[in-house]
Amino acid sequence: MTVHISQTEPVQQFLKEASGVFNDAGNPRVKTLIHRVLKDSVKIIEDLNVTPEEFWAAVNYLNVLGSRQEAGLLVAGLGLEHYMDLQLDAQDEQAGQLGGTPRTIEGPLYVAGAPLSQHEARLDDGSDAGTPLFMQGQVKDIDGQPVPGAIVDVWQANTGGTYSYFDPSQSEFNLRRRIQADSDGRYRFRSIVPSGYGCPPDGPTQQLLDQLGRHGQRPAHIHFFISAPGHRHLTTQINLAGDKYLYDDFAYATRDELVAEIRFSDDQVKAKQYGVSGTFAEIDFDFTLQASEAPKAQQRGERVRALEES
């Protein structure tokens, strides 16, 4: 039998005490957030009659989640990171900040400090026998004018679905580069066609997804930060058309405007021009930035990232 005490005055006062509401030290914003977390948590415990066994299983789950460093993976898999994008989209719409390439989730695998190249770059180190990929495009503003010198910060997985830095078998900054677009806002790079991938099958994220009857797979994709003075920073990614999981992404990152057509070719005349032989792939994709004079809007949001100084 459930005893309903969460809304009683003694419990409400206790939650305020536990949140530091009654003292003058600490951080007021953190106190407000923790107070709400505690209020909602005890309500869940009460409403759903959470047993001590379930409670401590959840506590242990958090321990395992942290030890495996999968918290960033879990918030993507539960749709919370996508929800943050939806909330920002709604705020933009309300403020009349419309147009441009849509944002979508960053994910947990960015690494700061990739080498900066002028106008073009090769992302891969040549050790992966994947299909060569040649991608190019233009960074423009919402009026269709080029954004000269925009920075295209790009990172992707290899054919095994893993990322350099997090996969120690890869060379430093493999499949990661920053490219400064030319005077017409154009960029291009050579890489390899990335593979989709899934959550670690033995990890806590997949363990929870199994309980929800869900898979943990992502379609093949390429991540981008696009930035330029006088423009809003863009966090986005393209998902490759034709992938099995294109519209069944466990992280909910696919948006129609971000589906990139990938063209595979065996044209050996063109392959020779690219400096390769055999099958290769091409992607053309333009990015459109909104204007902004606000310095904060021109920078990527603050969060803990690998090799990024605080």
Side-chain angles (χ1 to χ4, degrees), residues 147-192:
V147 179
I151 301 297
V152 178
D153 197 340
V154 53
W155 69 103
Q156 66 166 83
N158 63 8
T159 57
T162 62
Y163 289 76
S164 62
Y165 181 85
F166 302 97
D167 172 9
S169 71
Q170 295 187 48
S171 62
E172 185 179 34
F173 293 116
N174 186 42
L175 298 169
R176 301 177 186 274
R177 287 296 185 275
R178 291 176 296 148
I179 305 168
Q180 185 166 38
D182 66 17
S183 58
D184 290 322
R186 297 191 179 279
Y187 73 92
R188 56 187 176 273
F189 62 80
R190 173 179 171 176
S191 186
I192 55 173

Short mmCIF file of all heavy atoms in Angstrom, two decimals, residues 147-192:
data_model
loop_
_atom_site.label_atom_id
_atom_site.label_comp_id
_atom_site.label_asym_id
_atom_site.label_seq_id
_atom_site.Cartn_x
_atom_site.Cartn_y
_atom_site.Cartn_z
N VAL A 147 29.59 33.50 -47.08
CA VAL A 147 30.19 33.94 -45.82
C VAL A 147 31.68 33.62 -45.91
O VAL A 147 32.11 32.49 -45.64
CB VAL A 147 29.56 33.23 -44.61
CG1 VAL A 147 30.23 33.69 -43.31
CG2 VAL A 147 28.06 33.50 -44.55
N PRO A 148 32.50 34.57 -46.35
CA PRO A 148 33.93 34.30 -46.55
C PRO A 148 34.63 33.99 -45.23
O PRO A 148 34.35 34.58 -44.20
CB PRO A 148 34.46 35.60 -47.16
CG PRO A 148 33.47 36.65 -46.77
CD PRO A 148 32.15 35.97 -46.69
N GLY A 149 35.54 33.02 -45.28
CA GLY A 149 36.35 32.70 -44.11
C GLY A 149 35.64 31.95 -43.00
O GLY A 149 36.20 31.80 -41.91
N ALA A 150 34.42 31.47 -43.25
CA ALA A 150 33.71 30.69 -42.21
C ALA A 150 34.53 29.46 -41.84
O ALA A 150 35.25 28.89 -42.67
CB ALA A 150 32.34 30.27 -42.73
N ILE A 151 34.44 29.07 -40.59
CA ILE A 151 35.15 27.88 -40.11
C ILE A 151 34.20 26.68 -40.13
O ILE A 151 33.13 26.70 -39.51
CB ILE A 151 35.70 28.08 -38.68
CG1 ILE A 151 36.67 29.25 -38.65
CG2 ILE A 151 36.38 26.80 -38.20
CD1 ILE A 151 37.91 29.09 -39.51
N VAL A 152 34.60 25.66 -40.85
CA VAL A 152 33.87 24.40 -40.93
C VAL A 152 34.64 23.39 -40.09
O VAL A 152 35.71 22.92 -40.49
CB VAL A 152 33.74 23.92 -42.39
CG1 VAL A 152 33.02 22.58 -42.46
CG2 VAL A 152 33.02 24.97 -43.24
N ASP A 153 34.11 23.10 -38.92
CA ASP A 153 34.74 22.17 -37.97
C ASP A 153 34.01 20.84 -38.13
O ASP A 153 32.81 20.74 -37.86
CB ASP A 153 34.58 22.73 -36.56
CG ASP A 153 35.50 22.09 -35.54
OD1 ASP A 153 35.99 20.98 -35.80
OD2 ASP A 153 35.71 22.69 -34.47
N VAL A 154 34.72 19.80 -38.61
CA VAL A 154 34.07 18.56 -39.01
C VAL A 154 34.69 17.38 -38.30
O VAL A 154 35.91 17.34 -38.10
CB VAL A 154 34.13 18.39 -40.56
CG1 VAL A 154 35.56 18.53 -41.08
CG2 VAL A 154 33.54 17.07 -41.01
N TRP A 155 33.85 16.43 -37.87
CA TRP A 155 34.34 15.19 -37.29
C TRP A 155 33.39 14.05 -37.61
O TRP A 155 32.20 14.25 -37.78
CB TRP A 155 34.58 15.32 -35.79
CG TRP A 155 33.39 15.49 -34.88
CD1 TRP A 155 32.83 14.53 -34.08
CD2 TRP A 155 32.63 16.69 -34.64
NE1 TRP A 155 31.77 15.05 -33.36
CE2 TRP A 155 31.64 16.37 -33.67
CE3 TRP A 155 32.69 18.00 -35.13
CZ2 TRP A 155 30.72 17.30 -33.19
CZ3 TRP A 155 31.77 18.93 -34.66
CH2 TRP A 155 30.82 18.59 -33.71
N GLN A 156 33.96 12.85 -37.74
CA GLN A 156 33.15 11.70 -38.14
C GLN A 156 33.79 10.40 -37.65
O GLN A 156 34.93 10.38 -37.22
CB GLN A 156 33.02 11.65 -39.67
CG GLN A 156 34.36 11.39 -40.36
CD GLN A 156 34.22 11.01 -41.82
OE1 GLN A 156 34.08 11.89 -42.67
NE2 GLN A 156 34.26 9.72 -42.11
N ALA A 157 33.02 9.32 -37.75
CA ALA A 157 33.50 7.98 -37.40
C ALA A 157 34.22 7.35 -38.59
O ALA A 157 34.04 7.76 -39.75
CB ALA A 157 32.34 7.10 -36.97
N ASN A 158 35.00 6.32 -38.30
CA ASN A 158 35.63 5.54 -39.36
C ASN A 158 34.68 4.43 -39.82
O ASN A 158 33.51 4.40 -39.44
CB ASN A 158 36.98 4.98 -38.89
CG ASN A 158 36.85 4.01 -37.73
OD1 ASN A 158 35.74 3.61 -37.34
ND2 ASN A 158 37.97 3.61 -37.15
N THR A 159 35.19 3.48 -40.63
CA THR A 159 34.31 2.42 -41.12
C THR A 159 33.95 1.41 -40.04
O THR A 159 33.04 0.60 -40.23
CB THR A 159 34.97 1.68 -42.30
OG1 THR A 159 36.24 1.16 -41.88
CG2 THR A 159 35.17 2.61 -43.48
N GLY A 160 34.64 1.47 -38.92
CA GLY A 160 34.28 0.62 -37.78
C GLY A 160 33.30 1.28 -36.84
O GLY A 160 32.90 0.69 -35.83
N GLY A 161 32.92 2.53 -37.15
CA GLY A 161 31.96 3.24 -36.31
C GLY A 161 32.57 3.83 -35.05
O GLY A 161 31.84 4.12 -34.10
N THR A 162 33.90 4.04 -35.04
CA THR A 162 34.54 4.61 -33.86
C THR A 162 35.23 5.93 -34.21
O THR A 162 35.52 6.20 -35.38
CB THR A 162 35.56 3.65 -33.24
OG1 THR A 162 36.60 3.38 -34.19
CG2 THR A 162 34.89 2.34 -32.83
N TYR A 163 35.52 6.73 -33.18
CA TYR A 163 36.09 8.06 -33.34
C TYR A 163 37.48 8.13 -32.75
O TYR A 163 37.73 7.55 -31.67
CB TYR A 163 35.21 9.10 -32.64
CG TYR A 163 33.87 9.37 -33.29
CD1 TYR A 163 32.82 8.46 -33.17
CD2 TYR A 163 33.65 10.53 -34.02
CE1 TYR A 163 31.58 8.72 -33.75
CE2 TYR A 163 32.42 10.81 -34.60
CZ TYR A 163 31.39 9.89 -34.46
OH TYR A 163 30.18 10.15 -35.04
N SER A 164 38.37 8.86 -33.42
CA SER A 164 39.71 9.07 -32.87
C SER A 164 39.60 9.75 -31.51
O SER A 164 38.60 10.39 -31.19
CB SER A 164 40.56 9.91 -33.82
OG SER A 164 39.99 11.20 -34.02
N TYR A 165 40.62 9.60 -30.72
CA TYR A 165 40.74 10.03 -29.31
C TYR A 165 40.01 9.03 -28.41
O TYR A 165 40.59 8.51 -27.46
CB TYR A 165 40.19 11.44 -29.09
CG TYR A 165 40.31 11.90 -27.65
CD1 TYR A 165 41.49 12.49 -27.19
CD2 TYR A 165 39.26 11.76 -26.75
CE1 TYR A 165 41.62 12.92 -25.87
CE2 TYR A 165 39.38 12.17 -25.44
CZ TYR A 165 40.55 12.75 -24.99
OH TYR A 165 40.66 13.16 -23.69
N PHE A 166 38.76 8.73 -28.70
CA PHE A 166 38.02 7.75 -27.92
C PHE A 166 38.40 6.32 -28.31
O PHE A 166 38.22 5.39 -27.53
CB PHE A 166 36.51 7.99 -28.07
CG PHE A 166 36.11 9.37 -27.66
CD1 PHE A 166 35.95 10.38 -28.60
CD2 PHE A 166 35.91 9.68 -26.32
CE1 PHE A 166 35.60 11.66 -28.23
CE2 PHE A 166 35.55 10.96 -25.94
CZ PHE A 166 35.40 11.96 -26.89
N ASP A 167 38.88 6.16 -29.53
CA ASP A 167 39.41 4.89 -30.02
C ASP A 167 40.93 5.04 -30.13
O ASP A 167 41.43 5.66 -31.08
CB ASP A 167 38.80 4.56 -31.39
CG ASP A 167 39.45 3.36 -32.06
OD1 ASP A 167 40.26 2.67 -31.41
OD2 ASP A 167 39.16 3.14 -33.25
N PRO A 168 41.68 4.51 -29.16
CA PRO A 168 43.13 4.75 -29.14
C PRO A 168 43.88 4.11 -30.30
O PRO A 168 45.06 4.41 -30.50
CB PRO A 168 43.56 4.14 -27.80
CG PRO A 168 42.49 3.16 -27.45
CD PRO A 168 41.23 3.72 -28.01
N SER A 169 43.23 3.25 -31.09
CA SER A 169 43.91 2.65 -32.23
C SER A 169 44.04 3.62 -33.40
O SER A 169 44.82 3.38 -34.33
CB SER A 169 43.17 1.39 -32.69
OG SER A 169 41.94 1.72 -33.31
N GLN A 170 43.29 4.72 -33.36
CA GLN A 170 43.36 5.70 -34.45
C GLN A 170 44.40 6.77 -34.13
O GLN A 170 44.68 7.08 -32.97
CB GLN A 170 42.00 6.36 -34.66
CG GLN A 170 40.91 5.41 -35.14
CD GLN A 170 39.64 6.15 -35.50
OE1 GLN A 170 39.67 7.15 -36.21
NE2 GLN A 170 38.51 5.65 -35.00
N SER A 171 44.94 7.37 -35.20
CA SER A 171 45.92 8.43 -35.03
C SER A 171 45.25 9.70 -34.49
O SER A 171 44.03 9.86 -34.57
CB SER A 171 46.60 8.74 -36.37
OG SER A 171 45.66 9.21 -37.32
N GLU A 172 46.07 10.59 -33.95
CA GLU A 172 45.56 11.82 -33.35
C GLU A 172 44.81 12.65 -34.38
O GLU A 172 45.31 12.89 -35.48
CB GLU A 172 46.72 12.64 -32.76
CG GLU A 172 46.27 13.87 -32.01
CD GLU A 172 47.43 14.64 -31.42
OE1 GLU A 172 48.52 14.65 -32.05
OE2 GLU A 172 47.27 15.23 -30.33
N PHE A 173 43.62 13.05 -34.04
CA PHE A 173 42.76 13.89 -34.87
C PHE A 173 42.41 13.24 -36.21
O PHE A 173 42.08 13.95 -37.18
CB PHE A 173 43.37 15.28 -35.09
CG PHE A 173 43.44 16.10 -33.84
CD1 PHE A 173 44.66 16.48 -33.30
CD2 PHE A 173 42.28 16.48 -33.18
CE1 PHE A 173 44.73 17.23 -32.14
CE2 PHE A 173 42.33 17.24 -32.01
CZ PHE A 173 43.56 17.61 -31.49
N ASN A 174 42.49 11.91 -36.29
CA ASN A 174 42.02 11.25 -37.50
C ASN A 174 40.54 11.55 -37.70
O ASN A 174 39.74 11.46 -36.76
CB ASN A 174 42.24 9.74 -37.39
CG ASN A 174 41.90 9.00 -38.67
OD1 ASN A 174 42.23 9.45 -39.77
ND2 ASN A 174 41.22 7.86 -38.54
N LEU A 175 40.17 11.91 -38.92
CA LEU A 175 38.79 12.21 -39.30
C LEU A 175 38.22 13.39 -38.52
O LEU A 175 37.02 13.48 -38.27
CB LEU A 175 37.90 10.96 -39.13
CG LEU A 175 38.31 9.78 -40.02
CD1 LEU A 175 37.58 8.51 -39.62
CD2 LEU A 175 38.07 10.10 -41.49
N ARG A 176 39.12 14.32 -38.19
CA ARG A 176 38.74 15.57 -37.53
C ARG A 176 39.57 16.70 -38.15
O ARG A 176 40.79 16.63 -38.20
CB ARG A 176 39.03 15.52 -36.03
CG ARG A 176 38.31 14.42 -35.27
CD ARG A 176 38.73 14.43 -33.81
NE ARG A 176 38.18 13.30 -33.07
CZ ARG A 176 36.98 13.29 -32.50
NH1 ARG A 176 36.21 14.36 -32.58
NH2 ARG A 176 36.54 12.22 -31.85
N ARG A 177 38.93 17.75 -38.61
CA ARG A 177 39.63 18.91 -39.13
C ARG A 177 38.75 20.15 -38.96
O ARG A 177 37.52 20.07 -38.88
CB ARG A 177 39.96 18.75 -40.63
CG ARG A 177 41.07 17.79 -40.95
CD ARG A 177 42.42 18.21 -40.40
NE ARG A 177 43.50 17.34 -40.81
CZ ARG A 177 43.83 16.19 -40.20
NH1 ARG A 177 43.12 15.77 -39.15
NH2 ARG A 177 44.85 15.46 -40.62
N ARG A 178 39.43 21.30 -38.95
CA ARG A 178 38.78 22.59 -39.10
C ARG A 178 39.23 23.18 -40.43
O ARG A 178 40.43 23.17 -40.73
CB ARG A 178 39.15 23.53 -37.94
CG ARG A 178 38.57 23.12 -36.60
CD ARG A 178 39.06 24.02 -35.48
NE ARG A 178 40.51 23.90 -35.32
CZ ARG A 178 41.30 24.90 -34.92
NH1 ARG A 178 40.79 26.09 -34.68
NH2 ARG A 178 42.60 24.70 -34.78
N ILE A 179 38.28 23.65 -41.19
CA ILE A 179 38.58 24.17 -42.53
C ILE A 179 38.07 25.60 -42.61
O ILE A 179 36.89 25.86 -42.34
CB ILE A 179 37.89 23.32 -43.62
CG1 ILE A 179 38.29 21.85 -43.48
CG2 ILE A 179 38.24 23.85 -45.01
CD1 ILE A 179 37.43 20.91 -44.32
N GLN A 180 38.94 26.52 -42.96
CA GLN A 180 38.52 27.90 -43.18
C GLN A 180 38.09 28.04 -44.63
O GLN A 180 38.89 27.83 -45.56
CB GLN A 180 39.63 28.89 -42.86
CG GLN A 180 39.17 30.34 -42.96
CD GLN A 180 40.14 31.30 -42.33
OE1 GLN A 180 41.35 31.13 -42.44
NE2 GLN A 180 39.63 32.33 -41.66
N ALA A 181 36.82 28.39 -44.82
CA ALA A 181 36.29 28.53 -46.18
C ALA A 181 37.00 29.66 -46.92
O ALA A 181 37.57 30.58 -46.31
CB ALA A 181 34.79 28.78 -46.12
N ASP A 182 36.95 29.62 -48.25
CA ASP A 182 37.61 30.64 -49.05
C ASP A 182 36.78 31.92 -49.11
O ASP A 182 35.77 32.07 -48.39
CB ASP A 182 37.95 30.10 -50.44
CG ASP A 182 36.71 29.78 -51.29
OD1 ASP A 182 35.61 30.27 -50.97
OD2 ASP A 182 36.87 29.06 -52.29
N SER A 183 37.18 32.84 -49.97
CA SER A 183 36.51 34.15 -50.04
C SER A 183 35.08 34.05 -50.54
O SER A 183 34.30 35.00 -50.39
CB SER A 183 37.32 35.10 -50.93
OG SER A 183 37.47 34.56 -52.24
N ASP A 184 34.73 32.92 -51.16
CA ASP A 184 33.35 32.69 -51.60
C ASP A 184 32.60 31.79 -50.63
O ASP A 184 31.51 31.29 -50.96
CB ASP A 184 33.34 32.06 -52.99
CG ASP A 184 33.77 33.04 -54.07
OD1 ASP A 184 33.40 34.23 -53.97
OD2 ASP A 184 34.47 32.62 -55.00
N GLY A 185 33.17 31.53 -49.45
CA GLY A 185 32.52 30.68 -48.47
C GLY A 185 32.56 29.21 -48.81
O GLY A 185 31.85 28.41 -48.20
N ARG A 186 33.43 28.82 -49.74
CA ARG A 186 33.46 27.43 -50.19
C ARG A 186 34.49 26.62 -49.41
O ARG A 186 35.56 27.12 -49.04
CB ARG A 186 33.76 27.35 -51.69
CG ARG A 186 32.68 28.00 -52.54
CD ARG A 186 32.82 27.70 -54.02
NE ARG A 186 31.76 28.33 -54.78
CZ ARG A 186 30.53 27.84 -54.91
NH1 ARG A 186 30.23 26.68 -54.35
NH2 ARG A 186 29.60 28.48 -55.61
N TYR A 187 34.14 25.37 -49.18
CA TYR A 187 35.02 24.42 -48.49
C TYR A 187 34.98 23.11 -49.24
O TYR A 187 34.05 22.83 -50.01
CB TYR A 187 34.55 24.19 -47.05
CG TYR A 187 33.29 23.34 -46.99
CD1 TYR A 187 33.37 21.95 -46.88
CD2 TYR A 187 32.02 23.92 -47.13
CE1 TYR A 187 32.22 21.16 -46.88
CE2 TYR A 187 30.88 23.14 -47.14
CZ TYR A 187 30.99 21.76 -47.02
OH TYR A 187 29.85 20.98 -47.04
N ARG A 188 35.98 22.29 -49.04
CA ARG A 188 35.96 20.93 -49.59
C ARG A 188 36.91 20.07 -48.77
O ARG A 188 37.88 20.56 -48.20
CB ARG A 188 36.33 20.91 -51.07
CG ARG A 188 37.67 21.54 -51.41
CD ARG A 188 37.87 21.62 -52.93
NE ARG A 188 39.11 22.30 -53.26
CZ ARG A 188 39.24 23.61 -53.40
NH1 ARG A 188 38.18 24.40 -53.21
NH2 ARG A 188 40.40 24.16 -53.71
N PHE A 189 36.60 18.79 -48.75
CA PHE A 189 37.51 17.88 -48.06
C PHE A 189 37.42 16.48 -48.64
O PHE A 189 36.42 16.10 -49.27
CB PHE A 189 37.27 17.84 -46.54
CG PHE A 189 35.91 17.36 -46.10
CD1 PHE A 189 35.59 16.00 -46.04
CD2 PHE A 189 34.95 18.27 -45.67
CE1 PHE A 189 34.36 15.56 -45.59
CE2 PHE A 189 33.70 17.84 -45.22
CZ PHE A 189 33.41 16.49 -45.18
N ARG A 190 38.51 15.74 -48.42
CA ARG A 190 38.54 14.31 -48.74
C ARG A 190 38.48 13.55 -47.44
O ARG A 190 39.12 13.90 -46.44
CB ARG A 190 39.82 13.95 -49.48
CG ARG A 190 39.98 12.44 -49.68
CD ARG A 190 41.24 12.08 -50.43
NE ARG A 190 41.46 10.63 -50.41
CZ ARG A 190 42.45 10.01 -51.05
NH1 ARG A 190 43.32 10.72 -51.78
NH2 ARG A 190 42.58 8.69 -50.96
N SER A 191 37.70 12.47 -47.43
CA SER A 191 37.58 11.64 -46.23
C SER A 191 37.28 10.21 -46.68
O SER A 191 37.67 9.81 -47.78
CB SER A 191 36.46 12.19 -45.33
OG SER A 191 36.41 11.49 -44.11
N ILE A 192 36.63 9.46 -45.84
CA ILE A 192 36.10 8.15 -46.20
C ILE A 192 34.63 8.12 -45.82
O ILE A 192 34.19 8.88 -44.94
CB ILE A 192 36.85 7.01 -45.48
CG1 ILE A 192 36.83 7.22 -43.96
CG2 ILE A 192 38.27 6.87 -46.01
CD1 ILE A 192 37.40 6.06 -43.17
#
